[in-house]
Amino acid sequence: ESGRAAPGGAAPSSDLTTGVLDAACSQLERQYDLTHAGWGGAPKFPQPMTIEFLLRALLRTHLRTGGRSALAMAEATLEKMARGGIYDHLGGGFHRYATDAAWLVPHFEKMLYDNAQLARVYAHAWQVTRTPLFRRVAEGTLDYLLREMTDRSGGFYGSQDADSEGEEGRFFVWSADEIREVLGTGAGADFFFEAYGVTEGGNFEGKNVLHVATDPQALAAKHGAAVEEIEGGLAAARRSLLERRDRRVRPGLDDKVVAAWNGLALAAFAEAARVFDRPDYLSAATSAAAFLLREMRTADGRLLRAWRGGRAKLNAYLEDYVDSIEGLLALYETTFDARWFVEARRLADEMLARFSNPEGGFFDTSDDHETLVVRPQDLQDNATPSGSAMAVTVLLRLAAFTGDGKYRNPAETALKAVQPLAAAHPTAFAQWLCALDFALARPSEIAIVGDPDSADTRALLDVVMTPYRPNKVVAVGRPGEASPIPLLAGRAPLAGGATAFVCERFTCRLPVSDPMELAAMLGG
């Protein structure tokens, strides 16, 4: 097997090695903050791509190196961030980073790209653990984006400032007296103070950054009250305080719509619509995709970088193309409307034509971008995935949908070159590690033939989609209907109705119509 060439004449993928994934897990364990969770000291940044990689590590054979500790690190980090002041406990969404190592006092700016990636990883963590906190945070974050960061045209705005009225954090922080003014001086206010760590002296320049200091369960036990009663009271208090906060002078809004960041948000809304059964999220995702394709392209289909007030401009960068492709593919796998797949593939073909480096990998700028002294090819992830890492991610997914070596070969070539760096510096190459995991998992290509709205098709889809299965692609087509998706070509249903085909590099097992048989085939 290892000596055979992959389809399309690629070098054998045995050059890609699981040892890199194991080494990266071990390195993350060594670098992990055992006291406060996460990686690094102050200032401390969320690491959604690193957490995604750890969730993937759980699924590898027999939970090899880092298996259980991978889940422990991921869960603790997500929980500490969700309890800390970096999360907005009234309005939802995450601030940019914590100024301390304990996630308490944030730099108050809120970025679209952080919230998109964090909402998605919290949704995935909920799929793995079913921890209610993770769902609450994922939905709270997306609800914030819907409420405050969505243009009526469908695109998502870039960021909210840290400052209002010339003061950092003024919009978000509270004095004890301000809270009493809203909540009164009874037990409800006392519970809120205890739950959210409110003190007379505050924890930030005399004011309070709200954070979860005491759980409702602990409060209920201490005060001899029912947990539901405490939780209900705290929820009512949060609503009242949010209502009061909304009357304050708001922080400045950067209402620019950036293609790359919108692609990340589109992916988050599309997946969360499916995972949480939220039609409003699906509506937002569909509007964002339509906006991107309508407003942010030239007449000949080239992508543009930024839109504001009805005008799009600037040549798109690699990250704009690949993050948009990622979002469109996520939307396809939620709606199974082939339009989104076709548009994703079209952008991928344009990206390969304009950004490929003949020596391997991808440039960050297109071949007709303004001339730079050196054409950049930045490999490291920062707050957003490296364009090259996301290019590899989406090309591998397209290879699984199409069986076309023109997508797989450049992706594997780029991955091979980066493996040593990813093993040594996992937090700087986490998106590469996710892509490598996909490449090595021999991803399942799942074709389902049936009416997308029928009960038997939905039953098969539930098996495929309900668990966290990052290393798969799914296509659905109606019987007898021509599809632009090669994975669906020539598939006919069994007599029993909706039928699933599980394939690997377009070699398929016997088709099944029984959801339990499909679950067994996919490993539960």
Side-chain angles (χ1 to χ4, degrees):
E1 170 69 21
S2 62
R4 270 206 339 252
S13 61
S14 57
D15 295 359
L16 300 174
T17 169
T18 56
V20 171
L21 303 176
D22 294 334
C25 270
S26 301
Q27 186 77 323
L28 288 172
E29 210 169 338
R30 282 194 292 274
Q31 296 170 353
Y32 179 72
D33 180 344
L34 287 165
T35 307
H36 303 298
W39 295 267
K44 194 169 222 169
F45 288 82
Q47 303 268 4
M49 290 167 271
T50 300
I51 299 168
E52 286 281 4
F53 169 62
L54 289 173
L55 293 178
R56 285 169 166 274
L58 301 172
L59 306 180
R60 301 209 317 278
T61 315
H62 308 307
L63 297 181
R64 283 197 312 271
T65 312
R68 286 184 176 78
S69 64
L71 181 58
M73 287 189 287
E75 281 190 295
T77 304
L78 292 167
E79 188 178 321
K80 294 270 192 184
M81 288 194 302
R83 294 168 63 97
I86 192 174
Y87 183 70
D88 180 353
H89 294 277
L90 300 183
F94 286 86
H95 299 291
R96 193 172 184 185
Y97 60 85
T99 58
D100 56 275
W103 305 109
L104 178 60
V105 176
H107 172 59
F108 290 92
E109 191 174 15
K110 286 181 172 180
M111 309 300 296
L112 173 62
Y113 53 69
D114 289 326
N115 283 290
Q117 293 176 93
L118 286 164
R120 198 177 186 191
V121 78
Y122 273 93
H124 291 162
W126 181 78
Q127 283 184 294
V128 172
T129 66
R130 288 299 194 264
T131 301
L133 172 66
F134 297 160
R135 177 171 186 161
R136 276 204 310 277
V137 171
E139 291 187 294
T141 300
L142 293 172
D143 291 347
Y144 151 71
L145 293 179
L146 280 184
R147 193 177 64 248
E148 299 188 35
M149 299 289 282
T150 307
D151 188 89
R152 66 180 63 180
S153 303
F156 300 107
Y157 299 138
S159 64
Q160 276 180 327
D161 289 350
D163 301 1
S164 53
E165 300 183 81
E167 283 181 36
E168 183 177 349
R170 178 167 182 154
F171 182 76
F172 297 101
V173 297
W174 297 83
S175 70
D177 284 343
E178 285 174 315
I179 294 175
R180 285 192 198 98
E181 192 186 311
V182 177
L183 301 183
T185 54
D190 292 343
F191 287 155
F192 189 86
F193 275 46
E194 211 173 329
Y196 289 99
V198 178
T199 61
E200 300 300 327
N203 53 23
F204 174 74
E205 298 177 1
K207 298 283 186 79
N208 290 276
V209 174
L210 301 179
H211 63 288
V212 178
T214 309
D215 284 321
Q217 291 79 359
L219 273 178
K222 179 178 173 182
H223 296 285
V227 175
E228 294 76 19
E229 185 187 332
I230 296 282
E231 285 181 333
L234 292 175
R238 289 195 303 271
R239 285 194 296 273
S240 298
L241 289 167
L242 179 62
E243 198 176 300
R244 173 62 62 90
R245 193 179 82 176
D246 281 341
R247 296 182 217 158
R248 294 176 177 176
V249 176
R250 303 190 77 78
L253 176 70
D254 179 356
D255 60 358
K256 194 163 62 263
V257 175
V258 176
W261 308 349
N262 271 253
L264 296 174
L266 167 54
F269 275 104
E271 276 208 58
R274 183 170 75 228
V275 170
F276 301 132
D277 190 20
R278 289 281 301 260
D280 55 337
Y281 291 172
L282 181 55
S283 175
T286 306
S287 294
F291 171 88
L292 195 71
L293 297 170
R294 181 183 70 243
E295 300 287 338
M296 300 193 70
R297 288 198 296 189
T298 62
D300 62 351
R302 298 285 302 282
L303 203 57
L304 294 167
R305 166 75 172 172
W307 177 98
R308 184 168 184 267
R311 273 195 64 226
K313 59 182 184 179
L314 306 179
N315 263 1
Y317 292 90
L318 176 64
E319 67 165 0
D320 296 307
Y321 274 87
V322 294
D323 292 351
S324 297
I325 295 164
E326 171 79 354
L328 290 166
L329 289 176
L331 184 56
Y332 169 71
E333 288 190 304
T334 295
T335 62
F336 302 108
D337 179 345
R339 172 193 175 190
W340 308 123
F341 174 85
V342 169
E343 295 288 6
R345 189 174 187 180
R346 186 176 291 149
L347 286 178
D349 292 342
E350 182 79 30
M351 181 271 286
L352 285 171
R354 297 283 181 181
F355 293 88
S356 294
N357 181 345
E359 295 173 20
F362 309 92
F363 292 114
D364 294 330
T365 55
S366 59
D367 54 5
D368 60 350
H369 203 87
E370 62 185 276
T371 307
L372 304 168
V373 178
V374 177
R375 199 172 168 197
Q377 191 167 356
D378 189 7
L379 299 179
Q380 284 195 40
D381 300 317
N382 288 296
T384 55
S386 127
S388 290
M390 190 57 89
V392 168
T393 302
V394 298
L395 289 173
L396 288 170
R397 289 177 65 73
L398 282 166
F401 274 115
T402 64
D404 195 331
K406 84 169 182 183
Y407 302 124
R408 181 177 293 108
N409 299 350
E412 290 191 349
T413 300
L415 263 179
K416 286 168 193 170
V418 170
Q419 282 188 124
L421 289 167
H425 308 286
T427 58
F429 291 87
Q431 186 62 43
W432 288 98
L433 289 164
C434 291
L436 178 60
D437 184 62
F438 186 94
L440 287 167
R442 314 294 288 188
S444 297
E445 301 142 8
I446 302 163
I448 296 177
V449 183
D451 178 344
D453 300 318
S454 69
D456 55 352
T457 304
R458 299 311 312 178
L460 294 173
L461 277 171
D462 282 346
V463 168
V464 175
M465 297 299 206
T466 301
Y468 176 60
R469 300 190 197 275
N471 296 319
K472 54 113 176 61
V473 300
V474 188
V476 176
R478 295 175 188 276
E481 204 168 79
S483 171
I485 302 169
L487 184 56
L488 289 169
R491 310 271 181 220
L494 298 173
T499 303
F501 300 78
V502 177
C503 314
E504 189 179 296
R505 300 261 173 129
F506 274 59
T507 300
C508 303
R509 302 193 217 173
L510 289 173
V512 295
S513 289
D514 183 326
M516 292 183 73
E517 284 183 56
L518 178 59
M521 218 176 250
L522 295 174

